[in-house]
C-alpha cells in the first residue's frame, strides 16, 4: 500500500472529501432516493443521505472495516453502523471488549466514543441490495487507503465480511487473495495483521452463523495481537 502521501493530509480532509463525493452515479441516486422515502418507522426524520465518513480514535491500534452504510442505518444517521441491527451487535461487542464507551448507538450525537478503535468501510455510500459493484469499490478505495495511512498507530485491521476482507487485501496488493474465514489471520506487508470476522448482518446473527461469543473472540484476539 502506498506510504508516501503528503504529510498535510489528515483524517478531517478525508472525511470532508468523502461527505461531498459524487463519483458513483448509481450510489448517489440510491442514497438520495432512499433518504427521500424514509421507512414508516423513521418518517419525520431527516436522513443524512450522503456518503458516510469513518470515525473513532485517531490514535487507534484497531481499525474496523465494514462493507458499506445501510440504507436506513448509517445513510439515515450519518455515522457508520449507527441506527441498525448490525450496529447493535458491533457496538455491544466493542463495549464488552472495552473499545466503546457505551453498548448502543442510535444517532451521531448520542455520546458514543470509541477508545483505541476506528470504524470505516470499503464503500462509503449505501448500495442497492447492500451490493456495491467492482467499479464502485475501486472508486472508493483511495479513501480507505488514505485512512489506513493516516492511522499510523493501527496494528490490527478487522474486516467484517468477505467483501471487506477482499477490499483490504486489494489495497495491500496481496496475491493470491487471502482465504476468508471467521478469525482467519493474514500478515500484511507493513507488519499489520488482517483479522477476519463474519459480518454482524441480520442474516448471520439470526441464523447463528455469528454468535456473541464468536464476535467477542474477534475483539479479544485483536487486543492480543496489538499488544504483542
Amino acid at each position: 500500500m502506498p506510504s508516501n502521501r503528503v504529510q498535510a493530509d489528515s483524517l478531517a480532509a478525508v472525511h470532508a472529501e468523502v461527505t461531498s463525493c459524487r463519483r458513483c452515479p448509481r450510489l448517489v441516486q440510491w442514497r438520495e432516493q432512499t433518504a427521500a422515502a424514509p421507512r414508516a418507522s423513521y418518517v419525520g426524520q431527516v436522513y443524512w443521505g450522503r456518503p458516510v465518513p469513518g470515525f473513532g480514535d485517531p490514535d487507534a491500534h484497531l481499525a474496523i472495516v465494514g462493507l458499506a452504510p445501510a440504507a436506513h442505518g448509517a445513510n439515515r444517521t450519518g455515522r457508520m453502523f449507527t441506527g441498525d441491527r448490525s450496529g447493535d451487535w458491533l457496538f455491544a461487542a466493542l463495549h464488552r471488549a472495552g473499545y466503546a464507551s457505551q453498548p448502543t448507538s442510535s444517532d451521531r450525537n448520542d455520546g458514543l466514543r470509541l477508545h483505541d478503535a476506528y470504524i470505516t468501510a470499503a464503500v462509503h455510500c449505501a448500495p442497492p441490495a447492500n451490493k456495491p459493484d467492482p467499479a464502485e469499490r475501486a472508486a472508493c478505495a483511495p479513501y480507505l487507503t488514505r485512512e489506513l495511512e493516516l492511522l499510523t498507530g493501527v496494528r490490527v485491521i478487522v474486516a467484517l465480511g468477505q467483501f471487506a476482507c477482499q477490499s483490504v487485501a486489494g489495497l495491500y496488493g496481496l496475491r493470491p487473495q487471502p482465504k476468508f474465514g471467521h478469525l482467519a489471520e493474514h500478515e500484511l506487508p507493513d507488519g499489520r495483521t488482517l483479522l477476519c470476522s463474519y459480518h454482524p448482518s441480520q442474516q448471520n446473527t439470526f441464523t447463528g452463523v455469528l454468535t456473541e461469543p464468536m464476535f467477542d473472540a474477534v475483539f479479544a484476539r485483536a487486543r492480543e495481537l496489538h499488544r504483542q
Side-chain angles (χ1 to χ4, degrees):
M1 189 171 67
S3 58
N4 59 351
R5 183 164 298 280
V6 177
Q7 292 297 312
D9 201 3
S10 68
L11 288 173
V14 177
H15 295 171
E17 290 181 37
V18 165
T19 56
S20 62
C21 184
R22 300 182 68 86
R23 292 180 182 179
C24 303
R26 187 181 77 113
L27 298 188
V28 171
Q29 181 180 16
W30 176 253
R31 79 192 190 212
E32 294 179 353
Q33 175 183 315
T34 303
R39 282 183 175 170
S41 53
Y42 302 133
V43 168
Q45 294 189 22
V46 177
Y47 275 50
W48 174 259
R50 288 178 277 163
V52 181
F55 81 103
D57 184 348
D59 298 317
H61 287 92
L62 170 65
I64 300 163
V65 180
L67 191 164
H72 297 280
N75 188 57
R76 172 174 60 89
T77 63
R79 190 171 67 192
M80 287 292 180
F81 282 98
T82 296
D84 61 27
R85 295 282 181 88
S86 294
D88 292 344
W89 268 70
L90 177 59
F91 291 112
L94 290 176
H95 183 256
R96 291 191 296 270
Y99 287 110
S101 62
Q102 60 193 50
T104 58
S105 179
S106 57
D107 64 75
R108 63 183 181 277
N109 297 312
D110 61 9
L112 173 73
R113 295 292 181 270
L114 297 182
H115 308 299
D116 207 22
Y118 183 93
I119 298 175
T120 186
V123 173
H124 287 273
C125 290
N130 290 320
K131 293 181 179 179
D133 64 34
E136 290 160 352
R137 178 167 66 182
C140 219
Y143 297 131
L144 181 57
T145 297
R146 288 167 63 195
E147 285 179 303
L148 293 177
E149 287 177 350
L150 290 160
L151 293 165
T152 56
V154 164
R155 295 293 172 263
V156 182
I157 302 172
V158 168
L160 300 178
Q162 186 170 11
F163 187 95
C165 175
Q166 292 176 343
S167 297
V168 174
L171 296 185
Y172 279 89
L174 298 189
R175 296 291 183 273
Q177 280 276 348
K179 185 176 181 180
F180 176 77
H182 191 71
L183 287 176
E185 297 179 19
H186 304 282
E187 185 176 350
L188 297 172
D190 59 4
R192 293 170 170 176
T193 300
L194 173 59
L195 177 61
C196 302
S197 171
Y198 291 141
H199 193 284
S201 64
Q202 288 190 55
Q203 180 179 357
N204 285 344
T205 58
F206 283 3
T207 60
V209 170
L210 180 66
T211 64
E212 285 189 358
M214 290 171 66
F215 210 25
D216 288 344
V218 172
F219 298 108
R221 180 57 179 156
R223 195 172 290 282
E224 287 177 358
L225 286 167
H226 76 61
R227 283 176 173 170
Q228 289 178 0

